[in-house]
Amino acid sequence: MKIAILLLLVLSLSFAGEVWKVDTGAGVSTQPLVHGSRVIVGTSGGKVYSIEPPFVKWSYNIVDPVVSDPVSLGGNIIIATENKVFALDQYGALQWETALPGIRGVAASDKIYVADENGIQALNSDGTLAWNFVPGTENEGAASPELVYSVTVPLATPSYVIFGYDDYIYVVRTTGAFFWKKEIGHIWDTPPTLVANTLYIGTAEGLLYGLDMLNGEEKSKINLFEQISTTPVESLGQIIVGTSQNNIYSIAEHQVEWSTRLDGKVTHKMHLLASATGDVLYLTTTRSLYAVDPSDGTILFKYTFLDWPSPPACFNANIIVGTEEGRVYGIDSSKACSIIYPELDEQLGDAEITVHGLSYSKYGTPNTDLRINGEEWITLNGTEWEYNLDTSLYEYGVLDIECRVSDSAGAEREPYTKISIVHIQGTIEQLMTISYPSSIKADTEFEIEIIDSRGLPVSEVKLTAGGQTFEEDGTVTVSLPPGLQTVKVERPGYKTEEFTIDSKDEPTLAYATGGFFVILLIAYVYLLFIRKEKKKDLIIKEKH
């Protein structure tokens, strides 16, 4: 029975605006490459696919898993496995292959630059070796050391190759000559970003640096206290980075402008799509594809996948994402409906839950419809919408929730966004995480934050404290009378939580009176002892 339910769940996931889908038979973890009218992807099964949506035009078997994002140079498609670099032409014919040990990643500008266990290898367009740079040989006459650490995936520009090794960021000219290096801490295996004359790079310690490209001098530095897991992106004068602690941050003028909580670690490359209707930042986590407004961090839509999605690319207004389950999706970016809660595969007992979702359109305010188990469509309002669903009214087993949007350009066509949950007999109470101060000043407002297991605000929370009842979403603003107050937090479908907060009053008359007596006591001691000693000193001086 469990196997049958799991199979139904796997088959029932779909996305609004899914324009096309291609099965690759093996996982796609690298960022797709847009090459002319084709989308190029490499798989963990050792195959390269050229897709002219929605058709596969050709495939090439390189046997070993693809380990780096495909790149292009001189009309050729460059693919890397752990021990070889391949060049395929636009028709899928092999042009050359070069063996190199322990490849971490490739980049291309005037040449192909490969990070491997021997440093940075520069390959000519025909695959022959142009030069090799080994970290540690930058000092004249130094012998080539055996590298202890991995060289990170490089950034290649027309003039420079930039990469990390140990705790240093290295800049080498495209001639192979050393330019400069700077110690900044351990670098995540993602390339930096060059904006004008400033190099932005994030570290595993959470530091985001802005370095002068000409000499490595520090222009800016901010500590996010989280491992930076992405290549930085510049938008509207801000630098945006993602972290392995499930957040994205926007930094401007040496401070955080905004941050947004996501459902997993942000994968290594984000894609900024600029348009007349407004820029949109696309990124993936270990679970989902997100569209985010780069101006303020607002989540525009979210798609959750069955398995880890690759970093996104953009092709003909479609967002291209591969997944570890072995599929490549083309998703319409112009409109979307997202179901944020409940999550795919979630088990829910007999309870009233709030279905929470987002609707997005590039062409004005979208209209949203929702339906449960194929019943009549229910019209909802707003780009951020909710619907109260009583699961006890439905049979036990798989429960389908669908949504669709329409706008001035028309309505979505099937497949609509759909998730499936499992309705089980009985009650399952989820846990809330509550952040609150242990003591506060009486009759002064403060905040109590309530989030779920995903780090998202719990909606329609009922909080009782100090003879008062508050009903809010996620963050409750409270003021309490003096005394030790018991706080009770309730929400259908969640375990009720109780805790105490010490609400301290201002100093009372008793405190003031006590303080007065302390002052009198100090004065008395002063008069009794200190003045007596001074008088004694004076008498002694007079005798002498």
Side-chain angles (χ1 to χ4, degrees), residues 466-535:
Q468 308 168 81
T469 299
F470 306 86
E471 294 187 4
E472 300 289 345
D473 293 337
T475 301
V476 185
T477 301
V478 182
S479 64
L480 298 176
L484 192 63
Q485 302 293 338
T486 298
V487 181
K488 185 177 183 180
V489 181
E490 301 172 276
R491 172 68 166 84
Y494 290 83
K495 182 181 178 182
T496 298
E497 302 286 349
E498 286 192 10
F499 51 91
T500 59
I501 294 178
D502 187 5
S503 182
K504 296 181 178 180
D505 200 359
E506 293 287 350
T508 60
L509 179 61
Y511 287 112
T513 304
F516 177 70
F517 279 113
V518 170
I519 294 171
L520 286 178
L521 180 60
I522 293 171
Y524 174 74
V525 170
Y526 174 79
L527 292 172
L528 184 63
F529 295 102
I530 299 176
R531 290 193 62 183
K532 184 184 289 186
E533 290 298 322
K534 286 185 176 180
K535 185 176 181 180

Side-chain angles (χ1 to χ4, degrees), residues 118-122 131-138 147 163 170 172 176-178:
N118 291 326
I120 295 294
Q121 317 292 330
W131 52 261
N132 166 230
F133 180 85
V134 182
T137 61
E138 54 271 14
L147 298 185
F163 62 94
Y170 276 81
V172 177
F178 172 74

Side-chain angles (χ1 to χ4, degrees), residues 206-219:
L207 295 169
L208 176 67
Y209 285 88
L211 304 178
D212 191 314
M213 187 62 211
L214 296 180
N215 52 29
E217 290 184 1
E218 185 180 302
K219 290 184 172 181

